Amino acid sequence: MITALDHIAIAVPDLQKAIERFVEDFQLPLGGTEDVVEAKTKAAFLPLPPTSIELIHPLNDEGPVKTYLEKRGGGIHHLCFRSDDIEADVARLKEKGYQFLSDAPSPGAHNSLVIFIHPKSADGVLIELNQPADEH
Ligand code: CO
């Protein structure tokens, strides 16, 4: 079941500059940063309960976010819905014809399980499903 809007991710060409904007100008707290090796991204989390802003930047100058930045510059990259049972949600959505970017959920930030729905299945919006580590 989808239980929350976990985060909104924004791809940024300059992570430090973007962190400063959200912390100093918008006065959000910086919750932390993490290298998400599996996704080839460096991420900064700015909690704004009940959701958070996640700034993402290519890790080691490679990966899908690098491609995104080259094509579009910075921008809203994806929405993430939190799930309390990601396998069940994936199965339910696959049955409805949704296409996913991978066959099964894999490790994401904060040791959560994540999977992405293809934007073609959702009016051009990339949607991540995420089951937090303490719930799987
Ligand atoms: Co995300």
Side-chain angles (χ1 to χ4, degrees), residues 41 61 91 95 120:
T41 59
D61 202 33
E95 208 160 275
K120 280 182 187 160

Short mmCIF file of all heavy atoms in Angstrom, two decimals, residues 41 61 91 95 120:
data_model
loop_
_atom_site.label_atom_id
_atom_site.label_comp_id
_atom_site.label_asym_id
_atom_site.label_seq_id
_atom_site.Cartn_x
_atom_site.Cartn_y
_atom_site.Cartn_z
N THR A 41 24.40 8.05 -7.86
CA THR A 41 24.06 9.43 -7.51
C THR A 41 24.63 9.78 -6.14
O THR A 41 24.87 8.93 -5.29
CB THR A 41 22.54 9.66 -7.42
OG1 THR A 41 21.96 8.79 -6.45
CG2 THR A 41 21.85 9.45 -8.74
N ASP A 61 30.63 11.47 -11.79
CA ASP A 61 30.41 12.00 -13.13
C ASP A 61 29.87 10.96 -14.13
O ASP A 61 30.26 10.94 -15.30
CB ASP A 61 31.72 12.61 -13.66
CG ASP A 61 31.46 13.63 -14.77
OD1 ASP A 61 30.41 14.31 -14.71
OD2 ASP A 61 32.29 13.74 -15.68
N ALA A 91 3.56 -5.91 -7.83
CA ALA A 91 2.74 -6.94 -8.47
C ALA A 91 1.40 -6.38 -8.92
O ALA A 91 0.93 -6.63 -10.04
CB ALA A 91 2.53 -8.10 -7.49
N GLU A 95 0.24 -5.88 -12.87
CA GLU A 95 -1.00 -6.47 -13.36
C GLU A 95 -1.84 -5.45 -14.12
O GLU A 95 -2.55 -5.78 -15.07
CB GLU A 95 -1.79 -7.00 -12.16
CG GLU A 95 -2.69 -8.16 -12.47
CD GLU A 95 -3.03 -8.94 -11.21
OE1 GLU A 95 -2.26 -9.80 -10.81
OE2 GLU A 95 -4.08 -8.60 -10.62
N LYS A 120 6.74 6.53 -19.13
CA LYS A 120 5.72 6.30 -20.17
C LYS A 120 4.43 5.76 -19.57
O LYS A 120 3.36 5.89 -20.15
CB LYS A 120 6.23 5.28 -21.20
CG LYS A 120 7.15 5.90 -22.22
CD LYS A 120 7.59 4.85 -23.24
CE LYS A 120 8.65 5.44 -24.15
NZ LYS A 120 9.43 4.38 -24.81
#
